[in-house]
Amino acid sequence: MLFDFLIVGAGFSGSVAAERLASRGNKILLIDKREHIGGNAFDEYDSNGILIHKYGPHIFHTNSRRIFEYLSTFTTWRNYEHRVLAHVDGRLFPIPINLDTINGLYNLDLDEKALKEFFEKVRIPRSPINTSEDVVLNTVGMDLYEKFFKGYTRKQWGLDPSELSASVTARIPVRTNRDDRYFTDSYQAMPKDGYTKLFSNILDHPNIQIELNVDFFKKRNSYKYKHLIYTGPIDAYYDFKFGPLPYRSLIFEHTHIPNIEYFQKVGTINYPNDYSFTRITEFKHLTGQKFNGTSIVKEYPTAEGDPYYPIPNSSNDILFKKYYSISTSERNVTFIGRLAQYKYFNMDQCVGASLKAIQDIFNEP
């Protein structure tokens, strides 16, 4: 059968592209190497009946009304504002750093104005701002950098913050008020029935055919299609001709704890300096489930395994641009998503990139 589009990858990027193209009357074949749809946002009920995120927590947030309304076509939402604490010096403090973090850590009683003055005193000016270390030192100085950022970054990325681009720590704001929400986006919510149900609804279209447990590189010549949309690692697509792009992976340790209501106070607790894992997430906070017992996941960053995070620094950017330069000359091939575009996209950014890519295919403004 001849398909109008072959789409590789059933995560947000590929699924949104499939739905948008199918709604225009195109015949779509969507394939994925895993046994399920949803990519890393896949969720499922564990053996104890608790809805968990198999590949770590996915918290939806966006400032884009367009993206939120698009996804709302396929799900109802549970309002949820994510909160995170950091385990530092044996105590728990709000992260991102805010007024309560500083007052609690240093036994102070500052107000917003005094906190701004505090930051101005402790910051170590850096110019230009090139690295993640520059960002943090320039904002909050050495002590807070070492307590909250340095160890976590080293574990998460396998590199010192001085070796990473400024974009990594620039994602985490520093506040002078008491706002303890991890995100401040206009729209913050969780799919009421889970992400897998959201994906199932997105892909519920007669023009979409799905094949799972498929290795694209082994079967690519057996498919007939007019246009390819590829959401996997761009270096793999070109058989690593310029060398492999570095990615960071994760090992997830899922645990069920019976006969307690909650294991921790908030959805996620970061461990920047203690233990080999970076954080623990408790899913009942995210889903709102009422259950006797709870399920958590610990995350252990690693250099091996499935690619989760492109590693943003100047040398990797240079290598990616070599792949990007040849990708622009491809006819009838579109590269979308975190791995294909080698960008540290959030979920809403994956959706936005996919919506834009479909517009570009049809030369629409």
Side-chain angles (χ1 to χ4, degrees):
M1 178 178 178
L2 175 65
F3 292 94
D4 296 302
F5 290 87
L6 171 64
I7 300 178
V8 180
F12 268 110
S13 300
S15 297
V16 169
E19 188 280 327
R20 288 290 78 200
L21 291 166
S23 70
R24 294 169 178 260
N26 296 286
K27 298 294 184 182
I28 310 300
L29 175 60
L30 175 67
I31 67 173
D32 198 286
K33 66 179 182 179
R34 288 173 171 164
E35 61 184 11
H36 57 73
I37 60 174
N40 291 340
F42 171 78
D43 55 16
E44 62 183 348
Y45 289 91
D46 66 14
S47 59
N48 298 282
I50 294 179
L51 184 63
I52 64 168
H53 299 177
K54 183 175 181 178
Y55 306 101
H58 284 69
I59 318 298
F60 187 80
H61 57 99
T62 186
N63 282 315
S64 170
R65 181 176 178 180
R66 177 195 182 204
I67 290 171
F68 188 75
E69 288 183 346
Y70 168 75
L71 293 177
S72 296
T73 308
F74 307 102
T75 186
T76 54
W77 299 96
R78 173 182 180 259
N79 292 330
Y80 175 73
E81 293 179 327
H82 195 47
R83 285 171 170 81
V84 178
L85 297 172
H87 183 269
V88 173
D89 294 342
R91 295 185 290 163
L92 297 175
F93 300 97
I95 190 79
I97 291 170
N98 69 5
L99 185 60
D100 289 331
T101 309
I102 300 302
N103 283 338
L105 183 65
Y106 297 116
N107 194 27
L108 299 173
D109 189 24
L110 306 179
D111 58 16
E112 285 194 50
K113 180 182 178 182
L115 181 54
K116 291 177 183 178
E117 295 171 353
F118 172 89
F119 284 145
E120 192 59 36
K121 288 179 181 178
V122 300
R123 65 184 289 263
I124 301 173
R126 292 289 184 99
S127 183
I129 304 293
N130 293 320
T131 70
S132 285
E133 181 181 76
D134 292 335
V135 171
V136 181
L137 291 179
N138 187 69
T139 307
V140 299
M142 182 63 71
D143 191 52
L144 291 167
Y145 165 68
E146 291 186 336
K147 280 181 164 61
F148 288 90
F149 293 94
K150 188 174 183 177
Y152 190 97
T153 303
R154 281 179 166 177
K155 283 194 288 186
Q156 177 70 15
W157 297 100
L159 295 170
D160 191 83
S162 63
E163 301 174 278
L164 291 165
S165 71
S167 63
V168 174
T169 48
R171 293 165 61 97
I172 306 172
V174 173
R175 300 175 184 144
T176 57
N177 57 22
R178 301 187 66 187
D179 188 349
D180 66 344
R181 298 174 300 164
Y182 197 73
F183 308 110
T184 58
D185 299 56
S186 302
Y187 304 95
Q188 301 183 50
M190 299 290 289
K192 187 176 180 181
D193 298 314
Y195 284 102
T196 301
K197 181 61 176 178
L198 165 64
F199 280 97
S200 179
N201 291 339
I202 290 173
L203 297 173
D204 184 17
H205 195 288
N207 287 340
I208 299 175
Q209 180 176 321
I210 301 170
E211 291 185 10
L212 302 175
N213 294 310
V214 172
D215 186 329
F216 166 69
F217 298 106
K218 291 181 179 179
K219 292 195 66 176
R220 63 191 301 178
N221 294 326
S222 65
Y223 296 121
K224 296 180 180 179
Y225 54 90
K226 299 176 183 177
H227 193 112
L228 172 67
I229 293 179
Y230 178 80
T231 73
I234 191 170
D235 54 345
Y237 182 86
Y238 288 108
D239 198 26
F240 310 101
K241 66 182 298 181
F242 301 121
L245 279 163
Y247 295 91
R248 202 67 174 152
S249 189
L250 292 168
I251 295 171
F252 302 100
E253 183 182 284
H254 288 271
T255 304
H256 181 76
I257 306 168
N259 303 320
I260 64 169
E261 185 174 7
Y262 287 106
F263 174 76
Q264 58 193 30
K265 296 179 180 179
V266 294
T268 297
I269 295 180
N270 290 352
Y271 292 83
N273 305 310
D274 305 302
Y275 310 106
S276 57
F277 54 85
T278 50
R279 61 182 180 176
I280 298 176
T281 295
E282 184 173 15
F283 295 107
K284 283 168 60 178
H285 289 285
L286 281 56
T287 65
Q289 279 185 282
K290 303 299 181 185
F291 207 90
N292 180 24
T294 191
S295 293
I296 64 172
V297 64
K298 295 178 181 177
E299 296 179 44
Y300 297 84
T302 174
E304 304 297 328
D306 288 343
Y308 288 99
Y309 302 108
I311 302 176
N313 63 22
S314 56
S315 61
N316 296 344
D317 289 344
I318 290 169
L319 179 56
F320 166 69
K321 286 175 181 176
K322 291 183 179 180
Y323 287 108
Y324 176 75
S325 66
I326 57 174
S327 74
T328 57
S329 62
E330 293 279 3
R331 296 188 61 186
N332 302 320
V333 181
T334 300
F335 296 84
I336 315 174
R338 181 183 277 195
L339 304 181
Q341 295 177 268
Y342 204 70
K343 290 184 179 179
Y344 190 5
F345 283 150
N346 293 326
M347 288 183 288
D348 66 319
Q349 292 170 315
C350 288
V351 174
S354 194
L355 293 174
K356 183 180 184 303
I358 302 310
Q359 289 179 313
D360 291 344
I361 288 173
F362 293 98
N363 295 313
E364 296 176 349

